[in-house]
């Protein structure tokens, strides 16, 4: 079976992470992959993240879309159909690649305009699509003006329509899509499979040692990530006289964040191995997102033995409940409660049996088998 898959290269991106975990586990097997990357830059470096994959097994195709700014396009369109017309040259390039490579199925990860463009190309070439949800577009664009929100909602519905079946990373994600995007049969019958976590975090037997009074936030800057809650928590802890070190792991996006206290350290994104060491050096990782379809960071962190606090609306809360880690799920609307839990959990080590439970739930091998089974069931070779 040959699988087309859309890929990205951002170190902190959820799509990059789960795709790499899947590809690394399946590398060299009977299922080969065609990786299609729509890159928004005119000039870019070679994708180091995928360099270790055999070219005969993983065919990486990169298409620059630097001349197509979605922000500028949205200012001058009235409908989703207008956007599709503007992107027609890109859609045709993708179609030509698909005609040449002839994948049996397209595993499309995400719900923004790039996955939407790829779904159009795949549909026109008669290639079945498995939509692997990586973000609810209706949630991600909830702060946009109404006209744009309406267009993006139609875009999200269109990706669902183009798909043969859907994989949701959590029941929370599935319920939100049902209630806010589409209650179609495909959504109702979609599978719920947690994101696969890299063996770098799940296979290491050594757990982190307790580190006192170090808290961290890891993630891109976007309203839905609620980084403001981390900053407010830091200030409240200082007010309470609790001495600690606070760190934000972020890209260049941090320059857009307003009112970051000078005593919060900001460091760049890191590859998995370095993140593994970073997690182990922390006393507590804070994940206050208003909503996440899953949330890889807190799961990776907890797999190292370092405690986390996650907002109740994050999809990964489901595997935390199943693993017996419900005490780490909290309502970030109650910052006083979060502060008290921070002072209580920071520097402690998670019980080893619960860490094992969590690792089993997100094991890359087990999850990859479930995903491959779905791909085979809906592929042109089925």
């Amino acid at each position: 079976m040959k699988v087309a898959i859309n890929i990205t290269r951002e170190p902190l991106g959820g799509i990059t992470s789960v795709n790499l975990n899947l590809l690394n586990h399946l590398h060299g097997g009977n299922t080969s992959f065609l990786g299609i990357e729509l890159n928004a830059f005119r000039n870019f470096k070679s994708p180091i993240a995928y360099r270790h994959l055999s070219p005969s097994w993983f065919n990486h195709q990169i298409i620059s879309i630097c001349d197509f700014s979605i922000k500028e396009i949205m200012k001058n369109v009235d409908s989703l159909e207008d956007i599709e017309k503007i992107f027609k040259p890109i859609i045709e390039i993708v179609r030509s690649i698909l005609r040449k490579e002839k994948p049996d199925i397209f595993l499309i990860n995400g719900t923004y305009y790039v996955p939407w463009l790829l779904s159009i190309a795949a549909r026109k070439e008669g290639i079945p699509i498995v939509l692997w949800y990586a973000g609810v577009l209706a949630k991600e664009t909830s702060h946009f003006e109404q006209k744009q929100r309406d267009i993006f909602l139609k875009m999200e519905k269109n990706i669902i329509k183009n798909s043969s079946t859907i994989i949701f990373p959590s029941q929370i994600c599935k319920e939100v899509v049902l209630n806010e995007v589409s209650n179609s049969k495909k959504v109702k019958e979609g599978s719920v499979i947690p994101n696969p976590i890299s063996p770098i975090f799940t296979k290491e037997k050594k757990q982190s040692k307790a580190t006192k009074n170090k808290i961290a936030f890891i993630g891109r800057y976007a309203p839905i990530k609620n980084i403001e809650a981390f900053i407010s928590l830091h200030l409240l802890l200082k007010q309470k006289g609790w001495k600690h070190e606070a760190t934000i792991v972020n890209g260049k996006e941090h320059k857009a964040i307003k009112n970051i206290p000078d005593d919060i350290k900001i460091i760049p994104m890191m590859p998995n191995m370095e993140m593994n060491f970073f997690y182990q050096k922390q006393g507590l990782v804070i994940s206050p997102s208003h909503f996440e379809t899953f949330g890889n960071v807190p799961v990776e962190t907890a797999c190292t033995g370092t405690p986390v606090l996650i907002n109740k609306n994050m999809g990964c809360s489901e595997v935390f409940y199943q693993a017996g880690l419900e005490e780490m799920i909290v309502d970030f609307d109650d910052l006083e409660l979060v502060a008290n839990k921070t002072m209580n959990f920071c520097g402690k080590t998670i019980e080893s049996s619960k860490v094992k439970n969590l690792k089993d739930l997100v094991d890359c091998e087990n999850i990859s088998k479930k995903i491959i089974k779905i791909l085979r069931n809906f592929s042109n070779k089925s």
Side-chain angles (χ1 to χ4, degrees):
M1 181 174 64
K2 189 174 188 177
V3 180
I5 187 170
N6 61 307
I7 60 173
T8 60
R9 60 177 79 193
E10 293 83 2
L12 273 182
I15 293 177
T16 304
S17 178
V18 297
N19 281 348
L20 263 176
N21 294 342
L22 180 69
L23 291 169
N24 286 338
H25 176 73
L26 297 172
H27 188 210
N30 295 328
T31 301
S32 62
F33 283 82
L34 164 66
I36 298 182
E37 175 185 350
L38 300 192
N39 195 299
F41 295 94
R42 189 178 303 279
N43 177 265
F44 41 82
K45 293 182 179 181
S46 171
I48 297 173
Y50 303 95
R51 193 177 290 169
H52 63 290
L53 300 175
S54 170
S56 61
W57 182 85
F58 177 72
N59 182 357
H60 189 174
Q61 300 277 344
I62 305 172
I63 304 167
S64 175
I65 55 172
C66 63
D67 294 320
F68 298 81
S69 169
I70 190 66
K71 288 183 179 179
E72 293 302 314
I73 289 171
M74 289 298 293
K75 294 177 182 177
N76 302 298
V77 296
D78 295 315
S79 68
L80 187 63
E81 290 72 22
D82 292 340
I83 301 176
E84 183 176 344
K85 288 177 183 177
I86 292 170
F87 276 104
K88 185 177 179 181
I90 302 299
I91 294 172
E92 290 304 313
I93 292 173
V94 176
R95 289 185 68 183
S96 68
I97 293 172
L98 295 176
R99 281 196 296 271
K100 180 182 178 181
E101 299 298 330
K102 296 180 174 57
D104 300 298
I105 196 161
F106 206 137
L107 178 60
I108 292 183
N109 198 329
T111 51
Y112 197 30
Y113 75 102
V114 166
W116 170 67
L117 295 173
L118 297 175
S119 77
I120 295 171
R123 184 199 70 217
K124 290 186 175 182
E125 292 303 316
I127 298 170
I129 296 167
V130 172
L131 173 59
W132 194 4
Y133 248 86
V136 177
L137 193 50
K139 287 284 191 183
E140 295 276 355
T141 60
S142 61
H143 59 291
F144 287 16
E145 61 180 50
Q146 190 62 49
K147 177 184 172 182
Q148 292 185 347
R149 287 171 60 189
D150 291 342
I151 291 176
F152 280 122
L153 178 60
K154 189 174 180 181
M155 181 183 290
E156 188 165 10
K157 289 181 177 181
N158 194 233
I159 302 175
I160 291 172
K161 182 180 178 182
N162 291 340
S163 304
S164 300
T165 190
I166 304 171
I167 298 173
F168 296 99
S170 64
Q171 186 64 33
I172 286 175
C173 173
K174 185 174 182 177
E175 291 298 326
V176 167
V177 173
L178 276 171
N179 294 328
E180 300 186 24
V181 181
S182 169
N183 63 354
S184 67
K185 184 179 179 181
K186 270 185 272 192
V187 175
K188 291 177 181 177
E189 295 180 351
S191 305
V192 176
I193 304 174
N195 281 351
I197 299 300
S198 170
I200 290 174
F201 307 106
T202 61
K203 298 303 182 185
E204 184 173 325
K205 294 182 179 180
K206 180 183 176 182
Q207 287 186 221
S208 60
K209 296 180 180 179
T211 305
K212 291 184 178 180
N213 297 19
K214 282 189 176 183
I215 63 173
F217 169 94
I218 300 105
R220 60 186 171 90
Y221 177 59
I224 203 166
K225 298 297 183 180
N226 196 20
I227 195 171
E228 294 80 9
F230 179 76
I231 295 171
S232 297
L233 173 64
H234 166 67
L235 295 175
L236 179 57
L237 292 170
K238 283 174 61 178
Q239 189 179 49
K240 289 177 174 292
W242 192 69
K243 294 182 179 180
H244 63 283
E245 295 178 23
T247 304
I248 292 175
V249 180
N250 189 269
K252 295 179 181 178
E253 300 162 328
H254 70 263
K255 295 179 180 178
I257 309 171
K258 297 179 180 178
N259 304 318
I260 300 182
D262 293 336
D263 56 352
I264 291 183
K265 184 191 300 184
I266 301 176
I267 61 177
M269 300 176 288
M270 297 168 273
N272 275 349
M273 189 59 75
E274 292 180 36
M275 284 306 304
N276 186 29
F277 294 136
F278 176 81
Y279 293 148
Q280 293 184 50
K281 292 178 182 178
Q282 303 308 302
L284 183 72
V285 166
I286 308 292
S287 295
S289 294
H290 293 298
F291 171 79
E292 294 265 4
T293 56
F294 191 67
N296 291 354
V297 165
V299 178
E300 292 170 351
T301 303
C303 284
T304 71
T306 296
V308 298
L309 286 180
I310 64 172
N311 208 346
K312 62 178 183 178
N313 295 326
M314 296 181 68
C316 62
S317 64
E318 294 169 8
V319 292
F320 272 75
Y321 273 117
Q322 293 172 52
L325 296 169
E326 60 275 5
E327 70 271 16
M328 295 183 183
I329 304 166
V330 65
D331 185 350
F332 271 79
D333 288 338
D334 188 346
L335 204 60
E336 187 69 31
L337 174 62
V338 175
N340 289 335
K341 285 209 168 197
T342 297
M343 292 184 286
N344 182 41
F345 284 137
C346 191
K348 294 185 177 179
T349 302
I350 304 175
E351 187 178 326
S352 59
S353 61
K354 294 181 180 181
V355 172
K356 183 182 182 304
N357 291 342
L358 183 63
K359 288 180 177 182
D360 290 343
L361 290 166
V362 296
D363 178 72
C364 197
E365 181 176 358
N366 294 335
I367 291 173
S368 295
K369 287 178 181 177
K370 293 178 182 178
I371 292 172
I372 287 295
K373 183 178 180 180
I374 291 172
L375 293 176
R376 291 193 185 281
N377 287 342
F378 285 90
S379 76
N380 282 334
K381 278 191 172 180
S382 61

